[in-house]
Amino acid sequence: MKYELHFLNNIYDSIDSVNVEMDPFLDMFRREQYFDNCCIKHIICDLSNCFELLVKYRLMEEHWSLVFADVNKASFVTYENGDFVSVDIKSAISRVQNICGVEQDFNAIKIVQQYRNRIMHYTLCDTTEEIIKNIANSMREIKMFVETEIIESLPEEAKQDFEKAMKDYSDNANRLEELKF
């Protein structure tokens, strides 16, 4: 039996994972002033993953070869098989800005990407306020990117789900900013 998980499902799942993790984090913080390290770690990693998938989706919409780390090694067969080294996030951002004409800076999400790398490879050390501010702002940047660069290219059956998830991103970003430390 063949198993296939479509790229849009992966993107939506990573978007939704952030929203799912946000509820228990916000509830615990509001009730007990408890900053749940595990929830925040998952939120950061999921946001980072979500953004990377969205940028690669936008690159694929421009041309499938742009998701290869080395476009000179791009072949449609390896692309279809998923058997290639994909572009790193810094290069992907550069390509989406310079080739696709996206004019967003992604300042907050770049910081969240650094948080993710610190979590995975070293130690995350910043103030609670800065972490929360950067998560909220990165959620807004992702929402803007989805609304301006992604939604229109989605199949009709996916648009409503993505629009709802982006409304949840906006709501959650606002809820984060309301937290008092």
Side-chain angles (χ1 to χ4, degrees), residues 63-124:
H63 194 272
W64 58 265
S65 66
L66 294 174
V67 296
F68 281 72
D70 183 349
V71 293
N72 293 318
K73 294 182 180 177
S75 106
F76 195 69
V77 171
T78 57
Y79 168 74
E80 282 189 317
N81 293 334
D83 187 23
F84 61 93
V85 176
S86 68
V87 63
D88 65 87
I89 191 61
K90 286 182 182 178
S91 299
I93 291 170
S94 177
R95 288 178 189 180
V96 87
Q97 290 170 327
N98 297 327
I99 296 171
C100 303
V102 172
E103 295 183 0
Q104 275 184 268
D105 289 329
F106 307 113
N107 292 325
I109 196 65
K110 287 177 185 176
I111 294 169
V112 169
Q113 289 281 333
Q114 291 171 355
Y115 288 164
R116 179 252 173 225
N117 288 343
R118 290 177 192 155
I119 288 169
M120 300 306 286
H121 307 294
Y122 190 60
T123 301
L124 174 59

Side-chain angles (χ1 to χ4, degrees), residues 25 28-30 32-41 44 124 126-132 135 176 179 181:
F25 172 78
M28 277 192 270
F29 193 87
R30 282 205 174 111
E32 303 167 26
Q33 290 292 301
Y34 177 69
F35 188 85
D36 187 331
N37 290 323
C38 188
C39 279
I40 210 70
K41 175 182 77 170
I44 288 167
L124 174 59
D126 204 342
T127 66
T128 304
E129 295 83 359
E130 280 298 301
I131 292 170
I132 295 301
I135 289 172
L176 282 171
L179 296 179
F181 301 97

Side-chain angles (χ1 to χ4, degrees), residues 160-173:
Q160 189 173 16
D161 290 337
F162 275 72
E163 287 168 347
K164 182 190 178 314
M166 290 302 101
K167 182 188 178 318
D168 291 344
Y169 263 42
S170 180
D171 293 345
N172 283 327

